[in-house]
Amino acid sequence: MANQENDVILAKLYAPEKPNEKQYERFLNFLSDKYQSEVSLEWIEDKSIEGGFKLYVDEEVYDWTNEGRFLQLKESMGNLNVTSSTSQEDLIPLIKSAVDDFSATANAEEEGRVLTVGDGIVVADGLSSVQYGEIVIFESGVRGMVQDLRTEEIGIILFGDDTDVVTGSRVRRTKKTAGIPVGENFLGRVVDPLGNPIDGMGEIIADGYRPVESPAPGIVERQSVDTPMNTGILSIDSMFPIGRGQRELIIGDRQTGKTAIAIDTILNQKETGVLCIYVAIGQKASSVAQLVGTLKKKGAMGYTIVVAANASETAPIQYIAPYAGAALGEYFMHRGKDVLIVYDDLSKHAIAYRALSLLLERSPGREAYPGDVFYLHSRLLERSARMSDAVGGGSITALPIVETQAGDVSAYIPTNIISITDGQIFLESDLFFAGQRPAVNVGLSVSRVGGAAQTKAMKKAAGSIRLDLAQYREMEIFTQFSSDLDETTKKQLVYGQGLMRLLRQPQNSPFKTHEQVILLVAATAHVMQDVPVDDIHKFRAGLLNYFHEEESELCKRIDGDGVLSDSDKELIIAESEKFKKEYLSQEE
């Protein structure tokens, strides 16, 4: 709109009427003082402006219209210190005081123009001082985020309908990064990645505002992961324990039970004080609604937040979703609370980012992903940590989910995320279709935190179960080629089959810690050796009911102090043998 020639600043004044000599002189004095240079001012008649003027100098604009001053008032209202605890009696005087103290100022704002728009991407010129990740506002009110900085223009991703943005429309800076409202009132709600409620339960009064992108905690602020984050799934808690502050990847083909493991983990946090955040990326709205229904039915929605960027949403909304979930989690973590975040799933997140990058004309690399796709997920997952006691002792535990194609864990995105996380739970299609659910592959799954994230009772009870299963798998493959087996081998096979059947678990039915300990001690002591494999589930249910009725003090003690003494272990074996005799006699 203006430029500079021979050290003379050319400015343009848009107003409905020509300024008089006195007003003209005041404009020149203001500009000369501001820019310390000689000024040339041109008046351009604009009847669309009511009650003021717009003054353009290079990319800066001084908006002294009724609309501009109203926007200043609106922004000052947005800075009021209003929280969920602010009462209506306190709010009215606060607003009145803000209006009385408000004074519109002729602040310069950078303004640009839209060059092209389409597919949720805007290319604009101007705004030479804008920063990467900054929020900009178009004259239609739609917001966007700067995602690409070039020499002469910028690339912006839109958080709204691109039909409201047209070529030539104005765009202005906000000097703020993308953020999301946060607070206790978000618990039990379903929101979009911008923090807007989408569950039809009314507005949410926030306690604050956090940027969606923030640096990961430093080494000094962290402490080691040694507190269990129990999933309630026997095969995981016994062999691949997850700790608070850990990042454990759930990986497998489509429809192999990845989300089911995450939901069971959320259900198992009931009455533990752990808050949960479930981020749905690129899923059907019906699937998210079904999941929310399950959480409500099981009484888990009260401590859970669902952030949904459905498949119908644009790529920018899907791209920002996991960062918004992390920002909500950090609000609670920095208040000393433990948080569990599920990212379901990061494969679709990477695809959304690839779409954005290609539309922004960035150079494609392997599988057409941009070169910074590793940083996309590393900066997200590094925000998960267990904070030191000096800074509150809160934690964020992340369960990212990744979908593989035909079990290929060596593909680009899976290998990236495997290298970022602290272990993976690999779900195998063949096991799933064979009825082994959860279909955890014991050989390929691992937790790099290990026994540090197990209670002493669980560590002692699990014993050699992983080694026993590995021996069973090897023996099963070997005996496929042999028909004549000795008794020792037959017993080993029956024992292994019983263990595999024991690890089968119904969906949405997590086990408590004492139940897992009892089952593991009984199984590794070969108590179930004589129970037919098809009856293992029935025997398991009866055994647990027996202990709840006859040894309730033992159950409470294991849950309470997390310790399993030798006498407790002997008691479990003896009572399990006693129950087995009764069970087998009744079956006969």
Side-chain angles (χ1 to χ4, degrees), residues 62-74:
Y62 297 85
D63 190 348
W64 199 256
T65 61
N66 290 337
E67 183 184 3
R69 282 174 284 184
F70 175 75
L71 284 173
Q72 286 190 35
L73 175 61
K74 186 178 178 182

Side-chain angles (χ1 to χ4, degrees), residues 197-500:
I198 55 174
D199 53 7
M201 295 170 60
E203 290 298 313
I204 302 173
I205 299 176
D207 291 334
Y209 190 84
R210 284 192 65 87
V212 294
E213 297 260 21
S214 61
I219 297 296
V220 176
E221 296 174 299
R222 299 175 182 241
Q223 63 175 313
S224 59
V225 176
D226 57 14
T227 306
M229 172 70 74
N230 289 324
T231 65
I233 300 170
L234 187 60
S235 56
I236 295 174
D237 289 343
S238 60
M239 293 179 282
F240 321 107
I242 299 171
R244 296 187 184 184
Q246 189 176 342
R247 302 155 301 176
E248 184 78 2
L249 174 64
I250 302 172
I251 185 169
D253 283 1
R254 185 173 178 273
Q255 297 291 324
T256 51
K258 300 184 297 298
T259 302
I261 285 179
I263 296 307
D264 278 2
T265 307
I266 291 175
L267 297 179
N268 199 51
Q269 306 316 310
K270 194 173 184 178
E271 298 175 1
T272 64
V274 176
L275 305 177
C276 302
I277 299 171
Y278 178 84
V279 183
I281 308 165
Q283 296 186 36
K284 293 184 294 184
S286 58
S287 300
V288 177
Q290 186 177 3
L291 181 144
V292 171
T294 300
L295 293 177
K296 286 181 177 177
K297 184 179 177 182
K298 297 288 184 177
M301 200 61 199
Y303 55 86
T304 304
I305 304 170
V306 176
V307 180
N310 298 327
S312 58
E313 296 286 358
T314 60
I317 293 292
Q318 293 185 36
Y319 159 70
I320 205 172
Y323 302 105
L328 282 165
E330 285 170 339
Y331 169 81
F332 295 106
M333 178 179 73
H334 291 307
R335 280 158 179 75
K337 296 182 180 178
D338 294 308
V339 181
L340 170 70
I341 299 186
V342 177
Y343 301 113
D344 191 6
D345 65 77
L346 293 187
S347 302
K348 293 187 179 71
H349 182 235
I351 290 168
Y353 185 63
R354 175 171 63 183
L356 289 182
S357 298
L358 292 174
L359 289 167
L360 287 166
E361 299 179 2
R362 292 179 180 169
S363 299
R366 178 178 166 187
E367 297 180 24
Y369 288 104
D372 63 342
V373 74
F374 181 88
Y375 182 57
L376 174 78
H377 291 141
S378 63
R379 74 177 189 266
L380 169 70
L381 295 172
E382 285 295 334
R383 292 162 73 174
S384 301
R386 185 174 176 222
M387 307 299 284
S388 66
D389 294 334
V391 290
S395 70
I396 290 180
T397 308
L399 293 180
I401 295 175
V402 165
E403 185 177 303
T404 55
Q405 304 292 328
D408 184 14
V409 293
S410 63
Y412 190 30
I413 299 303
T415 50
N416 275 354
I417 301 176
I418 285 171
S419 65
I420 298 167
T421 50
D422 306 312
Q424 69 273 349
I425 297 165
F426 181 69
L427 304 181
E428 191 177 350
S429 298
D430 291 344
L431 286 173
F432 183 85
F433 295 127
Q436 186 67 30
R437 302 175 187 177
V440 179
N441 183 308
V442 179
L444 293 179
S445 302
V446 66
S447 173
R448 297 188 184 99
V449 174
Q454 277 181 317
T455 61
K456 292 179 180 179
M458 181 64 77
K459 198 182 299 184
K460 191 170 185 178
S464 60
I465 185 170
R466 192 171 182 183
L467 181 62
D468 292 343
L469 285 171
Q471 290 175 342
Y472 164 69
R473 284 201 318 274
E474 292 293 326
M475 195 174 293
E476 186 183 33
I477 294 168
F478 179 74
T479 53
Q480 287 177 353
F481 306 101
S482 175
S483 57
D484 188 20
L485 301 175
D486 60 87
E487 284 301 315
T488 305
T489 305
K490 285 180 181 178
K491 283 185 179 180
Q492 189 73 24
L493 283 171
V494 170
Y495 172 59
Q497 289 168 356
L499 282 181
M500 292 295 288

Side-chain angles (χ1 to χ4, degrees), residues 189-192 196-201 308 310:
R189 302 298 300 271
V190 183
V191 298
D192 67 14
N196 304 311
I198 55 174
D199 53 7
M201 295 170 60
N310 298 327

